[in-house]
Amino acid sequence: MDKRYIDKILSKYNEPSGKLLGILEDIQEKEKYLSKEALKYVSEKIGVSFSQIYSIATFYSFFNLQPVGEHIISVCMGTACHVRGAVEILNNIQYLLGVGVDESTEDGKFFLTTEDKHFSVNTARCFGCCSMAPVVRIDDKIYGYVKIKDLPKILKEYGWGKK
Amino acid sequence: MSDKVNVYINSKRYQAIKGEPLLNVARRNRVDIPALCYEESLKPYGACRLCLVDVKEGAKKGLTTSCTLACSEGLSVVTDTDEIKKHRKVLFELYLSQAPSSEKIKDMAARYGVFATRFELKHQENDKLNSKCVLCGLCVRTCNEIMAAGVINFIGRGHNTKINTPYFESSDVCLGCRACLEVCPTKAITIEDRSNIRIMASWSNTEVELKKCAVCGKYYAPERLDEKVDSLFYYKDKDEKLKDMCPECRKKYAAKKHTLIVKGEAEKYAK
Ligand code: SF4
Ligand code: FES
Ligand code: FES
């Protein structure tokens, strides 16, 4: 954790306690995830309790609480995507990447990272483009109408199966 | 201008303070409205939805939660329409599934004629709240708003929501006050005292040290809580002797001191 960087982020917000989401977002952008140390530090600095900050960080699926792989794959589990086979898409991605099935963490967040830290997989609730269901997001790119047979091709764009 | 208003519950007139939650008025007058998440000393929260009433006369007509309904002149509600009963039944069924081990919920549901649930029972393994928590948030709000300790909070969301300490790790800010346990409507929280240690079993086994009474030797209150209370209201006459006593001993000694002073033998007190 880079305290100086967090200080810089905090100084951007003139009333930090009301801007918590923005602060967390900025930290995640820099560090890719929110470490325990970072949350504690923010809590001390802006006077919002640690438990409250942790609560907010676990509420939004957007926030990662564990170190992440180089590419983040988010599989939408919203209603529209669910009925159009999101579960199978997720299962197949897990199969292709060789990451465990039932390994969600105690905070209830589903988050898996491959051993080589190349990919992380999580789930999300509706990206707002349900007409393209099922939807998968990799880093900042949205893939719609995803079919199971397309998955290897998509993953290859991010260096899957090179080794 | 008086701040008293007249409100009507099931056509009967009651006096209320302008702006107070209607649920307050109902409770004061023993009108039965079920509720799980309301506590007078906290801001209304409107989470459990059980306290539904039907507004007949007022700013907004229709179903609403009475804990968040502010009293105004002429407000008129009914508490027992078929529609309310229907909603309540679903709610109780949901609570029966959410907190399958809670006798309190079973009893409460039964009082309103709900004996079974069509939803899957949410028995969780190793649940720190013993499958009794209905997520009303009273413990969280008490810990944060009244005690200003901020030890516990909601974690996650939706079906997976839990209440605990951050990262499910033992807390170093917990006062050990037990206010969470007192306020919990389903008695879901476990706290144990083992000689000089209070173990907040539900909150990641956080341990808090207890203070020993200087006179009788009983462990009577958490050290940290004692410090906090002391700093807030030191005894009026700053009698150091009273400081480290449990409430019973303190009572005895204060009484003794008072009698001696009255008798004009205050110097004997020191013994
Ligand atoms: S533990 Fe008790 S007070 Fe806390 S949310 Fe659950 S039911 Fe409510
Ligand atoms: S449900 Fe997946 S994008 Fe809306
Ligand atoms: S008491 Fe009104 S919603 Fe819970």
Side-chain angles (χ1 to χ4, degrees), chain A residues 76-82 124-135:
Chain A
C76 177
M77 290 282 152
T79 314
C81 292
H82 187 91
R125 299 263 168 241
C126 193
F127 294 128
C129 45
C130 312
S131 62
M132 285 161 58
V135 177

PDB file of all heavy atoms in Angstrom, chain A residues 76-82 124-135, ligand 2:
ATOM      1  N   CYS A  76     -21.704 -11.656 -15.924  1.00  0.00           N
ATOM      2  CA  CYS A  76     -22.940 -11.076 -15.411  1.00  0.00           C
ATOM      3  C   CYS A  76     -23.896 -12.174 -14.982  1.00  0.00           C
ATOM      4  O   CYS A  76     -24.131 -13.128 -15.703  1.00  0.00           O
ATOM      5  CB  CYS A  76     -23.606 -10.200 -16.464  1.00  0.00           C
ATOM      6  SG  CYS A  76     -25.175  -9.558 -15.857  1.00  0.00           S
ATOM      7  N   MET A  77     -24.411 -12.027 -13.760  1.00  0.00           N
ATOM      8  CA  MET A  77     -25.365 -13.000 -13.228  1.00  0.00           C
ATOM      9  C   MET A  77     -26.716 -12.333 -13.024  1.00  0.00           C
ATOM     10  O   MET A  77     -27.533 -12.785 -12.224  1.00  0.00           O
ATOM     11  CB  MET A  77     -24.854 -13.543 -11.882  1.00  0.00           C
ATOM     12  CG  MET A  77     -23.652 -14.427 -11.999  1.00  0.00           C
ATOM     13  SD  MET A  77     -24.165 -16.053 -12.543  1.00  0.00           S
ATOM     14  CE  MET A  77     -22.707 -16.583 -13.388  1.00  0.00           C
ATOM     15  N   GLY A  78     -26.932 -11.230 -13.702  1.00  0.00           N
ATOM     16  CA  GLY A  78     -28.224 -10.546 -13.604  1.00  0.00           C
ATOM     17  C   GLY A  78     -29.323 -11.431 -14.158  1.00  0.00           C
ATOM     18  O   GLY A  78     -29.059 -12.495 -14.729  1.00  0.00           O
ATOM     19  N   THR A  79     -30.545 -10.986 -13.985  1.00  0.00           N
ATOM     20  CA  THR A  79     -31.684 -11.837 -14.357  1.00  0.00           C
ATOM     21  C   THR A  79     -31.644 -12.246 -15.826  1.00  0.00           C
ATOM     22  O   THR A  79     -31.757 -13.421 -16.167  1.00  0.00           O
ATOM     23  CB  THR A  79     -33.005 -11.097 -14.067  1.00  0.00           C
ATOM     24  OG1 THR A  79     -32.892 -10.522 -12.774  1.00  0.00           O
ATOM     25  CG2 THR A  79     -34.176 -12.030 -14.129  1.00  0.00           C
ATOM     26  N   ALA A  80     -31.465 -11.259 -16.701  1.00  0.00           N
ATOM     27  CA  ALA A  80     -31.496 -11.555 -18.127  1.00  0.00           C
ATOM     28  C   ALA A  80     -30.381 -12.524 -18.504  1.00  0.00           C
ATOM     29  O   ALA A  80     -30.596 -13.509 -19.223  1.00  0.00           O
ATOM     30  CB  ALA A  80     -31.364 -10.260 -18.933  1.00  0.00           C
ATOM     31  N   CYS A  81     -29.168 -12.257 -17.998  1.00  0.00           N
ATOM     32  CA  CYS A  81     -28.042 -13.128 -18.319  1.00  0.00           C
ATOM     33  C   CYS A  81     -28.238 -14.505 -17.702  1.00  0.00           C
ATOM     34  O   CYS A  81     -27.887 -15.515 -18.297  1.00  0.00           O
ATOM     35  CB  CYS A  81     -26.750 -12.499 -17.840  1.00  0.00           C
ATOM     36  SG  CYS A  81     -26.327 -11.017 -18.771  1.00  0.00           S
ATOM     37  N   HIS A  82     -28.813 -14.523 -16.530  1.00  0.00           N
ATOM     38  CA  HIS A  82     -29.039 -15.802 -15.859  1.00  0.00           C
ATOM     39  C   HIS A  82     -29.915 -16.705 -16.714  1.00  0.00           C
ATOM     40  O   HIS A  82     -29.569 -17.851 -16.972  1.00  0.00           O
ATOM     41  CB  HIS A  82     -29.693 -15.568 -14.495  1.00  0.00           C
ATOM     42  CG  HIS A  82     -29.805 -16.809 -13.672  1.00  0.00           C
ATOM     43  ND1 HIS A  82     -28.837 -17.198 -12.790  1.00  0.00           N
ATOM     44  CD2 HIS A  82     -30.763 -17.767 -13.639  1.00  0.00           C
ATOM     45  CE1 HIS A  82     -29.183 -18.338 -12.230  1.00  0.00           C
ATOM     46  NE2 HIS A  82     -30.359 -18.709 -12.740  1.00  0.00           N
ATOM     47  N   ALA A 124     -21.003 -10.443 -11.521  1.00  0.00           N
ATOM     48  CA  ALA A 124     -21.553  -9.103 -11.346  1.00  0.00           C
ATOM     49  C   ALA A 124     -23.060  -9.170 -11.527  1.00  0.00           C
ATOM     50  O   ALA A 124     -23.601 -10.190 -11.970  1.00  0.00           O
ATOM     51  CB  ALA A 124     -20.933  -8.162 -12.363  1.00  0.00           C
ATOM     52  N   ARG A 125     -23.715  -8.090 -11.163  1.00  0.00           N
ATOM     53  CA  ARG A 125     -25.174  -8.037 -11.290  1.00  0.00           C
ATOM     54  C   ARG A 125     -25.566  -6.991 -12.312  1.00  0.00           C
ATOM     55  O   ARG A 125     -25.657  -5.832 -11.987  1.00  0.00           O
ATOM     56  CB  ARG A 125     -25.827  -7.662  -9.962  1.00  0.00           C
ATOM     57  CG  ARG A 125     -25.581  -8.610  -8.859  1.00  0.00           C
ATOM     58  CD  ARG A 125     -26.739  -9.576  -8.708  1.00  0.00           C
ATOM     59  NE  ARG A 125     -26.331 -10.640  -7.810  1.00  0.00           N
ATOM     60  CZ  ARG A 125     -26.276 -11.925  -8.145  1.00  0.00           C
ATOM     61  NH1 ARG A 125     -26.617 -12.312  -9.356  1.00  0.00           N
ATOM     62  NH2 ARG A 125     -25.899 -12.824  -7.289  1.00  0.00           N
ATOM     63  N   CYS A 126     -25.752  -7.413 -13.544  1.00  0.00           N
ATOM     64  CA  CYS A 126     -26.291  -6.564 -14.602  1.00  0.00           C
ATOM     65  C   CYS A 126     -25.408  -5.372 -14.963  1.00  0.00           C
ATOM     66  O   CYS A 126     -25.211  -4.459 -14.183  1.00  0.00           O
ATOM     67  CB  CYS A 126     -27.692  -6.049 -14.267  1.00  0.00           C
ATOM     68  SG  CYS A 126     -28.484  -5.341 -15.712  1.00  0.00           S
ATOM     69  N   PHE A 127     -24.913  -5.416 -16.157  1.00  0.00           N
ATOM     70  CA  PHE A 127     -24.111  -4.309 -16.674  1.00  0.00           C
ATOM     71  C   PHE A 127     -24.976  -3.274 -17.363  1.00  0.00           C
ATOM     72  O   PHE A 127     -24.484  -2.293 -17.908  1.00  0.00           O
ATOM     73  CB  PHE A 127     -23.084  -4.835 -17.684  1.00  0.00           C
ATOM     74  CG  PHE A 127     -22.049  -5.733 -17.069  1.00  0.00           C
ATOM     75  CD1 PHE A 127     -21.792  -6.982 -17.603  1.00  0.00           C
ATOM     76  CD2 PHE A 127     -21.340  -5.327 -15.955  1.00  0.00           C
ATOM     77  CE1 PHE A 127     -20.839  -7.814 -17.044  1.00  0.00           C
ATOM     78  CE2 PHE A 127     -20.385  -6.153 -15.388  1.00  0.00           C
ATOM     79  CZ  PHE A 127     -20.134  -7.398 -15.925  1.00  0.00           C
ATOM     80  N   GLY A 128     -26.270  -3.517 -17.405  1.00  0.00           N
ATOM     81  CA  GLY A 128     -27.162  -2.573 -18.063  1.00  0.00           C
ATOM     82  C   GLY A 128     -27.235  -2.773 -19.566  1.00  0.00           C
ATOM     83  O   GLY A 128     -27.633  -1.865 -20.293  1.00  0.00           O
ATOM     84  N   CYS A 129     -26.822  -3.942 -20.039  1.00  0.00           N
ATOM     85  CA  CYS A 129     -26.982  -4.197 -21.471  1.00  0.00           C
ATOM     86  C   CYS A 129     -27.593  -5.575 -21.654  1.00  0.00           C
ATOM     87  O   CYS A 129     -27.055  -6.433 -22.342  1.00  0.00           O
ATOM     88  CB  CYS A 129     -25.656  -4.054 -22.209  1.00  0.00           C
ATOM     89  SG  CYS A 129     -24.274  -4.848 -21.372  1.00  0.00           S
ATOM     90  N   CYS A 130     -28.730  -5.747 -20.986  1.00  0.00           N
ATOM     91  CA  CYS A 130     -29.385  -7.047 -20.913  1.00  0.00           C
ATOM     92  C   CYS A 130     -29.780  -7.581 -22.292  1.00  0.00           C
ATOM     93  O   CYS A 130     -29.896  -8.786 -22.484  1.00  0.00           O
ATOM     94  CB  CYS A 130     -30.628  -6.964 -20.054  1.00  0.00           C
ATOM     95  SG  CYS A 130     -30.333  -6.136 -18.496  1.00  0.00           S
ATOM     96  N   SER A 131     -30.012  -6.676 -23.249  1.00  0.00           N
ATOM     97  CA  SER A 131     -30.448  -7.149 -24.566  1.00  0.00           C
ATOM     98  C   SER A 131     -29.359  -7.986 -25.221  1.00  0.00           C
ATOM     99  O   SER A 131     -29.620  -8.756 -26.135  1.00  0.00           O
ATOM    100  CB  SER A 131     -30.809  -5.962 -25.458  1.00  0.00           C
ATOM    101  OG  SER A 131     -29.662  -5.166 -25.644  1.00  0.00           O
ATOM    102  N   MET A 132     -28.126  -7.813 -24.733  1.00  0.00           N
ATOM    103  CA  MET A 132     -27.014  -8.581 -25.309  1.00  0.00           C
ATOM    104  C   MET A 132     -26.703  -9.828 -24.487  1.00  0.00           C
ATOM    105  O   MET A 132     -25.657 -10.461 -24.657  1.00  0.00           O
ATOM    106  CB  MET A 132     -25.752  -7.712 -25.352  1.00  0.00           C
ATOM    107  CG  MET A 132     -25.773  -6.657 -26.442  1.00  0.00           C
ATOM    108  SD  MET A 132     -24.569  -5.327 -26.099  1.00  0.00           S
ATOM    109  CE  MET A 132     -23.053  -6.234 -25.982  1.00  0.00           C
ATOM    110  N   ALA A 133     -27.585 -10.187 -23.575  1.00  0.00           N
ATOM    111  CA  ALA A 133     -27.319 -11.309 -22.669  1.00  0.00           C
ATOM    112  C   ALA A 133     -27.053 -12.607 -23.445  1.00  0.00           C
ATOM    113  O   ALA A 133     -27.627 -12.807 -24.513  1.00  0.00           O
ATOM    114  CB  ALA A 133     -28.521 -11.507 -21.732  1.00  0.00           C
ATOM    115  N   PRO A 134     -26.213 -13.479 -22.923  1.00  0.00           N
ATOM    116  CA  PRO A 134     -25.391 -13.302 -21.724  1.00  0.00           C
ATOM    117  C   PRO A 134     -24.154 -12.429 -21.980  1.00  0.00           C
ATOM    118  O   PRO A 134     -23.595 -12.464 -23.068  1.00  0.00           O
ATOM    119  CB  PRO A 134     -24.970 -14.724 -21.386  1.00  0.00           C
ATOM    120  CG  PRO A 134     -24.962 -15.446 -22.690  1.00  0.00           C
ATOM    121  CD  PRO A 134     -26.030 -14.818 -23.537  1.00  0.00           C
ATOM    122  N   VAL A 135     -23.801 -11.682 -20.936  1.00  0.00           N
ATOM    123  CA  VAL A 135     -22.745 -10.686 -21.092  1.00  0.00           C
ATOM    124  C   VAL A 135     -21.537 -11.032 -20.205  1.00  0.00           C
ATOM    125  O   VAL A 135     -21.696 -11.451 -19.063  1.00  0.00           O
ATOM    126  CB  VAL A 135     -23.274  -9.281 -20.707  1.00  0.00           C
ATOM    127  CG1 VAL A 135     -22.175  -8.247 -20.803  1.00  0.00           C
ATOM    128  CG2 VAL A 135     -24.448  -8.898 -21.585  1.00  0.00           C
TER     129      VAL A 135
HETATM  130  S1  FES C   2     -28.655  -8.996 -16.704  1.00  0.00           S
HETATM  131 FE1  FES C   2     -26.699  -9.109 -17.587  1.00  0.00          FE
HETATM  132  S2  FES C   2     -26.474  -7.163 -18.470  1.00  0.00           S
HETATM  133 FE2  FES C   2     -28.400  -6.975 -17.485  1.00  0.00          FE
END
